[in-house]
């Protein structure tokens, strides 16, 4: 976007207010759950591989509870990311929307839910098309001589389905603007007390 167009925008309240910045970050995450067109609907999830190196993949943001700072995504319990979360629950999520010029980076810990009320509720809210993703016969990433056939039994995927809950304790915000970029960090301790500060972009 041309610099003149960026300058023409009214300066939003979050430009110089940490509380407003956090509220806008939470709004974007909430919209990412509800709006499939939002670029925060499909953030990048980072885990730690068995060899200690990072692993990245795109996931779909399925839920966000602002009070508990809990995000929900789904995975096949046979997948590499599920194994990585079981071994090391430290994760990061990253999203960027060029239309809003906002980048979000969230770090926290993930838990897998396969045979409990969390998983049942997540499965119950999933559409048949989404359920088919978990109905493949072999585990994701299994080598194969030819592309496998598309699964047909959506309900057969329940045995492989897992919800992933991510509680983040750190959120970094970056907003790009020709009048001055803004970067902020929010962190929560074990008791939920929040610390917030501006960072040099």
């Amino acid at each position: 976007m041309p610099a003149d167009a960026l300058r023409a925008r009214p300066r939003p309240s979050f430009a110089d207010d940490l509380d407003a910045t956090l509220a806008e970050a939470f709004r974007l995450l909430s919209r990412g759950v509800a709006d499939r067109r939002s670029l925060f609907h499909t953030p990048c999830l980072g885990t730690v591989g068995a060899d200690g190196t990072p692993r990245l993949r795109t996931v779909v943001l399925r839920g966000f509870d602002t009070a508990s700072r809990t995000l929900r995504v789904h995975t096949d319990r046979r997948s590499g990311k599920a194994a990585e979360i079981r071994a090391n629950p430290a994760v990061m999520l990253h999203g960027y929307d060029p239309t809003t010029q906002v980048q979000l980076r969230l770090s926290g810990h993930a838990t897998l839910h396969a045979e409990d009320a969390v998983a049942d509720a997540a499965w119950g809210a999933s559409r048949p098309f989404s359920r088919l993703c978990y109905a493949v016969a072999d585990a994701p990433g299994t080598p194969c001589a030819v592309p496998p056939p598309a699964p047909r039994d959506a309900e057969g995927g329940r045995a492989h389905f897992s919800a992933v809950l991510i509680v983040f304790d750190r959120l970094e915000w970056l907003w790009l603007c020709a009048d001055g970029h803004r970067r902020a960090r929010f962190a929560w301790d074990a008791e939920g007390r929040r610390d917030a500060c501006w960072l040099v972009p």
Side-chain angles (χ1 to χ4, degrees), residues 104-144:
L104 295 178
R105 296 196 303 161
L106 304 97
S107 57
H109 291 81
T111 55
L112 293 167
H113 298 263
E115 299 292 346
D116 59 13
V118 172
D120 288 342
W123 180 259
S126 297
R127 297 178 302 165
F129 177 80
S130 297
R131 294 179 180 184
L132 283 171
C133 297
Y134 309 98
V136 292
D138 296 317
T142 300
C144 52

Side-chain angles (χ1 to χ4, degrees), residues 134-169:
Y134 309 98
V136 292
D138 296 317
T142 300
C144 52
V146 295
R152 301 295 182 188
D153 178 18
E155 293 310 307
R158 178 63 183 89
H160 307 138
F161 173 82
S162 179
V164 181
L165 296 185
I166 301 166
V167 179
F168 61 89
D169 53 22

Side-chain angles (χ1 to χ4, degrees), residues 2-180:
D4 290 343
L6 288 174
R7 292 192 186 95
R9 290 179 177 175
R11 196 158 178 83
S13 62
F14 60 73
D16 302 296
D17 184 306
L18 285 169
D19 288 336
T21 293
L22 184 60
E24 178 66 5
F26 279 18
R27 186 190 73 80
L28 291 172
L29 290 170
S30 296
R31 182 185 170 198
V33 174
D35 184 358
R36 293 168 59 190
R37 294 169 297 179
S38 165
L39 293 185
F40 292 105
H41 184 62
T42 50
C44 182
L45 173 67
T47 57
V48 181
D51 59 357
T53 59
R55 298 287 188 268
L56 299 174
R57 78 284 291 164
T58 300
V59 294
V60 177
L61 189 57
R62 300 294 187 182
F64 176 43
D65 180 74
T66 59
S68 63
R69 305 185 315 280
T70 301
L71 301 159
R72 176 170 52 86
V73 301
H74 298 163
T75 190
D76 191 309
R77 70 181 77 172
R78 304 167 295 173
S79 67
K81 70 171 145 327
E84 290 154 9
I85 289 170
R86 281 191 289 267
N88 185 341
V91 298
M92 288 195 73
L93 273 175
H94 168 268
Y96 176 69
D97 185 344
T99 60
T100 60
Q101 303 285 294
V102 170
Q103 172 185 265
L104 295 178
R105 296 196 303 161
L106 304 97
S107 57
H109 291 81
T111 55
L112 293 167
H113 298 263
E115 299 292 346
D116 59 13
V118 172
D120 288 342
W123 180 259
S126 297
R127 297 178 302 165
F129 177 80
S130 297
R131 294 179 180 184
L132 283 171
C133 297
Y134 309 98
V136 292
D138 296 317
T142 300
C144 52
V146 295
R152 301 295 182 188
D153 178 18
E155 293 310 307
R158 178 63 183 89
H160 307 138
F161 173 82
S162 179
V164 181
L165 296 185
I166 301 166
V167 179
F168 61 89
D169 53 22
R170 183 182 175 112
L171 183 153
E172 283 202 18
W173 157 281
L174 177 65
W175 176 57
L176 303 177
C177 180
D179 290 337

